[in-house]
Amino acid sequence: MTQTSIDPGIEDQALRGDIYRLLGRLLLAAPDTAVLRFLAGLEAEADDSELAQAWQALARAAAEATPRHLERAHFRLLVGVIQGEITPYASWYLNGTLMDAPLVALRRDLRRLGIARIEPCRDPEDHLGALCETMALLVARQDAQAEAFFTAHLVAWAEPCFHDLAQADSPFYAATGRLGAAFMASERRRYDLPASLIAPRRLPLVTD
């Protein structure tokens, strides 16, 4: 099996885009056999950084997981009958409800960037997986708007959401959350954004 080495510094543009794309893929759907095989073959740099340790944990979890088991875990954690144990939407994390002002602002910016929704897609555009896919596109095309998009739509809530996923009882999704949180922190530092931009947790709104 060909193994891929991961540099925890994340200086390479193509690699950053690939990580965004991978996180989007894992959040939006359970991994299939090919994805698990790829992840199990990853080799992270042997250091004590949170990012390197997260890659190592994800590789170990992928080697021990099966697609069928992860389909159930993905549904329970991130989808649910009404909603999953984690609700990975900007509107939910920032305003405590779905389909709120963050989604409106996001749709405006997506139109301005010329990025269209792919149909059919049942998830609102402020799903964290969809936002990771958008960042992958912006990074890949070296769009100058990538930093502004990250600042406007990810920095305030992506790390807390990934931290919540890192508490999951599924080793694979816990490792995914750990990787996502470490990578988002790396991106925040890359853009020289202060941790104070991370929004305080808003409780979900309760309606009758």
Side-chain angles (χ1 to χ4, degrees), residues 109-116 137 141:
D109 285 350
L110 290 174
R111 287 194 298 270
R112 182 174 55 82
L113 290 167
I115 298 175
L137 175 63
R141 71 188 192 189

Side-chain angles (χ1 to χ4, degrees), residues 24 33 35 38 60-61 76 87 92 133 142-143 156 161 199 202:
T33 300
V35 172
F38 167 76
R60 290 193 300 269
R76 175 172 55 83
T87 307
W92 185 262
E133 289 188 337
Q142 299 186 27
D143 195 310
C161 184
R202 291 285 298 272

Side-chain angles (χ1 to χ4, degrees), residues 9-13 16 185-192:
I10 316 300
E11 295 298 330
D12 182 79
Q13 291 288 95
R16 289 176 57 232
S186 173
E187 288 290 276
R188 174 170 51 80
R189 292 189 296 268
R190 176 187 183 86
Y191 292 129
D192 198 25

Side-chain angles (χ1 to χ4, degrees), residues 37-180:
R37 186 180 299 117
F38 167 76
L39 292 173
L42 291 175
E43 286 187 344
E45 295 294 324
D47 61 39
D48 294 329
S49 71
E50 179 60 26
L51 198 54
Q53 291 181 19
W55 277 116
Q56 293 163 11
L58 185 60
R60 290 193 300 269
E64 298 171 359
T66 64
R68 187 166 190 172
H69 173 77
L70 293 182
E71 284 178 7
R72 294 194 295 269
H74 181 272
F75 182 83
R76 175 172 55 83
L77 291 168
L78 294 165
V79 181
V81 176
I82 297 177
Q83 65 188 52
E85 296 178 16
I86 296 163
T87 307
Y89 297 93
S91 294
W92 185 262
Y93 269 80
L94 297 176
N95 286 21
T97 188
L98 294 173
M99 310 285 284
D100 211 325
L103 177 60
V104 175
L106 172 63
R107 285 174 171 170
R108 180 191 63 231
D109 285 350
L110 290 174
R111 287 194 298 270
R112 182 174 55 82
L113 290 167
I115 298 175
R117 180 185 178 96
I118 298 176
E119 299 293 350
C121 179
R122 69 190 186 98
D123 292 311
E125 294 90 332
D126 63 339
H127 189 290
L128 183 52
L131 289 171
C132 286
E133 289 188 337
T134 300
M135 278 298 297
L137 175 63
L138 294 176
V139 170
R141 71 188 192 189
Q142 299 186 27
D143 195 310
Q145 295 300 309
E147 179 178 352
F149 188 89
F150 181 88
T151 304
H153 302 295
L154 280 163
V155 71
W157 72 284
E159 282 182 65
C161 184
F162 276 120
H163 278 302
D164 287 346
L165 185 59
Q167 306 307 310
D169 57 6
S170 161
F172 181 86
Y173 282 104
T176 300
R178 186 178 176 185
L179 173 65

